[in-house]
Amino acid sequence: MQNALKVEIKRLSKRAFAKSEQQEKTEQKYRDRFQKRTGKTAGVPKKRATAVPHRHFDPKFCARNANFLAKTIWHKVLNCQYEPIPAVNYQIPKPDGSKRSIMAFSIPDAALANVVLKRARDRNTKRLSPSSYAYHPDKNVFDAILALTDFDAGGKLFAVQIDFEKYFDLIPTGYLTERLEDAGKISLTPHERHIFDRFLRHRHCDYKDYSKGKFKRRHKGTPQGSSVSLLLANIANHELDTALAAQSGKFVRFADDVVALCRSYEQAQLLERCFYDHCSNSGLKINEEKSPGIAIIAGREQELRGYPHFDYLGYRFGQEGLGVPEKVVARIKTRISRLVNIYLLQYLDEGFNTNRASTVPHAYDWDLLGLIYELRRSLYGGLSEEELRAFIHEGKMLRKMKGLMGFYCLIDDPSELRKLDGWMLSIVRRAMVVRNRILLAKYGKNCPTPTNAQLATGDWLDTKAWRGDDLPEARMPSLIRGWRAARKHYYTFGLENVEAPTYVAYSDVADLFEY
């Protein structure tokens, strides 16, 4: 255990070094881009002080002293004296306007959590419900989606969806402690129980108060940001899994997101009762405003409340198969609109580099090309148009499959993707018209104003005016084209080589552009 802890401390320290180095490179890239586009020198922010005043957050110190830290921490664990260094509480904005509390633990504490999680999870994998798909070594979000599509109602389909209110933040500590102490439900060593207990009651404070020592102690919820939270979240809902499994129908749980399917209203009522009984026993709360409850999934009006579909894990489940939810479409549009504004319009307000004559020749536009490449990277996960063409039409192997279209390889109904393609062409065309008007008025320059068709084919680029050796891929990316490649990859090779997003990424589809 001590040796495994030392190795993990070194790994996390190395990862922290790499992250810091990548961040510096990214900041420099954007400074260079700003100067190239505006002709102005980008300011360099002052280096702020160390994020926290404790040396256990310093990767250099932890890498040099990994053996000593591992020995010291494990000695404290053996004597039941272990206490995590106070964590830093960061408030991360969520799509709905609220904030998610994320705890940043010190490198040695994070390493201990990782090691303990792996050992405890591997020992208890068979005890966890087969219908629980989050934080499982052999399951991911794709498995959860496929499990729901396998259910055959044989007639009317009833769906039961209940949303827990701030699940990770409000799980009662006393309830979790009882579950951890129950040897019949989970197999843990005394030292593992001690570690889990300490993380459930760890100290923390905001970044600005850390140096002042204004620490608070956790009294409820799990420490999001620590890997031990993954196992604790599954333990908290294990009794719900057991109750739902005893009823007719089928259910899938991914962390706190649960949907149950059945064939009759009586069965649906029993499934719904399982949620309320679990909340009564555990102290969890149901978010009544966001919980759809019981509904018939049908394309026409029924005697009870009916919907033509239900949304789950970023997908829309309907009679026509899997599709894209409306809220996902809205988030994709928001993300694309932001990129269009950044690449085509934002820098014009800051100024324009009139000293570089080739910045915007009429035949092509560097910023438009940059936008196209950025959208392609986001939608295709880094694949090029040529790679997609060769795979779709010639069967040439793809080097990888990820990105937004990789996630949506299971879609049966691509109608929303087709609409998004048209919308994306339209918004870029309209932005180019505005861009050209601003350039002419302010700087006496013009830029291409291609039609939708020219953007779709890439014909807006005058190849005769291009002075480089290799012609760029000027064709706008297409969600339908990306879906065709992802769908063919799925039918040909399955999901083994498709990179599944993290829980946070799938729950906020904007993050799928980055994962």
Side-chain angles (χ1 to χ4, degrees):
M1 182 70 172
Q2 182 177 318
N3 186 61
L5 182 55
K6 178 183 71 175
V7 171
E8 185 65 10
I9 291 174
K10 289 184 176 180
R11 187 186 74 83
L12 292 182
S13 299
K14 183 178 179 180
R15 190 176 71 175
F17 281 128
K19 182 178 180 180
S20 177
E21 183 178 346
Q22 181 60 41
Q23 184 175 353
E24 290 181 2
K25 289 182 179 179
T26 301
E27 290 176 354
Q28 185 60 48
K29 180 184 74 173
Y30 283 109
R31 283 195 293 268
D32 294 342
R33 184 177 295 176
F34 179 86
Q35 184 172 356
K36 187 176 182 179
R37 291 178 176 176
T38 66
K40 298 180 180 179
T41 302
V44 179
K46 293 182 179 180
K47 291 288 184 181
R48 63 181 185 180
T50 306
V52 288
H54 200 286
R55 57 186 180 179
H56 283 195
F57 287 85
D58 180 5
K60 293 182 180 179
F61 174 83
C62 293
R64 288 195 303 263
N65 299 277
N67 187 52
F68 168 75
L69 291 170
K71 183 177 181 180
T72 302
I73 289 176
W74 189 238
H75 176 75
K76 291 181 179 179
V77 170
L78 293 177
N79 290 279
C80 294
Q81 297 175 343
Y82 170 71
E83 178 77 24
I85 299 297
V88 182
N89 184 9
Y90 292 101
Q91 300 294 322
I92 309 299
K94 296 174 66 175
D96 60 2
S98 60
K99 293 184 178 181
R100 178 185 289 113
S101 180
I102 300 295
M103 300 293 168
F105 286 86
S106 71
I107 292 176
D109 292 326
L112 179 64
N114 291 347
V115 172
V116 171
L117 169 70
K118 185 179 185 306
R119 297 197 174 197
R121 185 185 61 187
D122 291 348
R123 191 185 310 120
N124 291 278
T125 296
K126 299 298 182 182
R127 293 187 175 214
L128 297 176
S129 168
S131 297
S132 173
Y133 291 86
Y135 320 132
H136 195 287
D138 301 318
K139 298 178 182 178
N140 58 38
V141 63
F142 294 127
D143 298 306
I145 294 167
L146 290 174
L148 282 180
T149 60
D150 287 341
F151 182 72
D152 182 12
K156 288 184 178 180
L157 175 63
F158 289 78
V160 183
Q161 282 186 285
I162 301 295
D163 185 81
F164 294 105
E165 183 178 336
K166 296 182 179 180
Y167 176 74
F168 292 95
D169 296 329
L170 299 180
I171 300 175
T173 299
Y175 178 77
L176 279 172
T177 301
E178 291 178 5
R179 304 282 79 73
L180 292 173
E181 295 291 338
D182 190 347
K185 299 290 178 62
I186 185 170
S187 175
L188 296 174
T189 67
H191 300 133
E192 289 170 344
R193 286 194 177 90
H194 170 66
I195 294 170
F196 280 118
D197 179 76
R198 291 298 86 201
F199 273 98
L200 278 174
R201 294 172 170 82
H202 72 91
R203 293 178 295 163
H204 64 89
C205 73
D206 294 337
Y207 165 77
K208 64 180 183 300
D209 296 326
Y210 201 96
S211 59
K212 303 175 185 177
K214 296 182 178 180
F215 303 127
K216 303 175 184 177
R217 190 169 290 278
R218 177 179 294 280
H219 294 292
K220 60 182 177 181
T222 61
Q224 292 190 73
S226 170
S227 56
V228 299
S229 180
L230 312 184
L231 183 62
L232 292 173
N234 274 337
I235 293 174
N237 263 340
H238 182 70
E239 287 191 355
L240 174 62
D241 294 343
T242 303
L244 292 174
Q247 301 298 328
S248 300
K250 186 168 190 174
F251 80 96
V252 166
R253 181 174 66 82
F254 199 92
D256 60 326
D257 291 330
V258 192
V259 61
L261 305 177
C262 60
R263 296 180 175 87
S264 72
Y265 181 66
E266 291 74 16
Q267 293 173 352
Q269 286 181 306
L270 292 175
L271 289 169
E272 185 181 46
R273 174 48 52 189
C274 292
F275 287 94
Y276 285 93
D277 289 344
H278 176 61
C279 288
S280 177
N281 296 331
S282 65
L284 289 168
K285 297 181 180 179
I286 290 178
N287 190 331
E288 300 290 350
E289 294 183 359
K290 294 184 178 180
S291 296
I294 301 175
I296 301 177
I297 307 302
R300 57 187 178 82
E301 188 174 345
Q302 301 289 324
E303 63 273 18
L304 296 175
R305 180 181 55 177
Y307 294 113
H309 50 251
F310 67 91
D311 299 339
Y312 187 64
L313 300 181
Y315 272 81
R316 170 155 290 179
F317 294 75
Q319 293 180 322
E320 299 80 14
L322 296 175
V324 184
E326 294 173 358
K327 65 178 181 179
V328 170
V329 172
R331 291 178 187 173
I332 292 175
K333 286 184 175 181
T334 299
R335 171 65 174 177
I336 292 175
S337 298
R338 180 175 178 272
L339 289 175
V340 169
N341 182 64
I342 289 174
Y343 272 85
L344 302 182
L345 302 174
Q346 177 176 311
Y347 286 102
L348 301 184
D349 294 332
E350 297 290 341
F352 190 74
N353 189 356
T354 55
N355 296 322
R356 195 162 68 91
S358 62
T359 300
V360 185
H362 186 68
Y364 59 88
D365 189 323
W366 281 108
D367 292 336
L368 177 56
L369 280 174
L371 171 65
I372 290 173
Y373 271 74
E374 179 75 9
L375 289 173
R376 184 180 299 125
R377 183 192 68 82
S378 301
L379 300 179
Y380 299 168
L383 295 173
S384 67
E385 292 287 356
E386 175 58 26
E387 286 177 307
L388 258 64
R389 186 204 63 79
F391 175 66
I392 294 173
H393 300 291
E394 301 173 9
K396 187 176 180 180
M397 286 285 292
L398 292 174
R399 51 191 169 90
K400 58 182 176 179
M401 176 52 70
K402 66 174 190 176
L404 189 67
M405 290 300 92
F407 176 69
Y408 283 116
C409 62
L410 300 178
I411 286 179
D412 300 305
D413 179 15
S415 58
E416 289 297 330
L417 301 182
R418 188 171 288 106
K419 294 177 184 177
L420 274 171
D421 273 349
W423 173 86
M424 184 164 57
L425 291 173
S426 177
I427 191 176
V428 172
R429 174 185 58 79
R430 287 182 281 126
M432 289 302 294
V433 172
V434 174
R435 175 177 170 83
N436 189 57
R437 185 165 62 244
I438 295 174
L439 285 172
L440 282 172
K442 284 189 173 183
Y443 308 106
K445 291 180 175 291
N446 60 4
C447 66
T449 53
T451 64
N452 286 4
Q454 289 174 323
L455 286 170
T457 60
D459 292 341
W460 65 272
L461 177 70
D462 185 355
T463 57
K464 295 179 181 178
W466 184 260
R467 294 193 292 267
D469 295 330
D470 298 323
L471 287 175
E473 292 185 324
R475 188 181 190 185
M476 278 284 291
S478 163
L479 284 86
I480 283 289
R481 199 156 53 246
W483 170 78
R484 287 181 61 195
R487 191 69 168 170
K488 180 176 180 179
H489 189 277
Y490 165 57
Y491 278 124
T492 306
F493 305 106
L495 293 166
E496 295 301 320
N497 295 321
V498 180
E499 183 178 337
T502 62
Y503 174 76
V504 173
Y506 96 80
S507 61
D508 182 2
V509 177
D511 291 343
L512 289 170
F513 281 88
E514 305 297 339
Y515 87 97

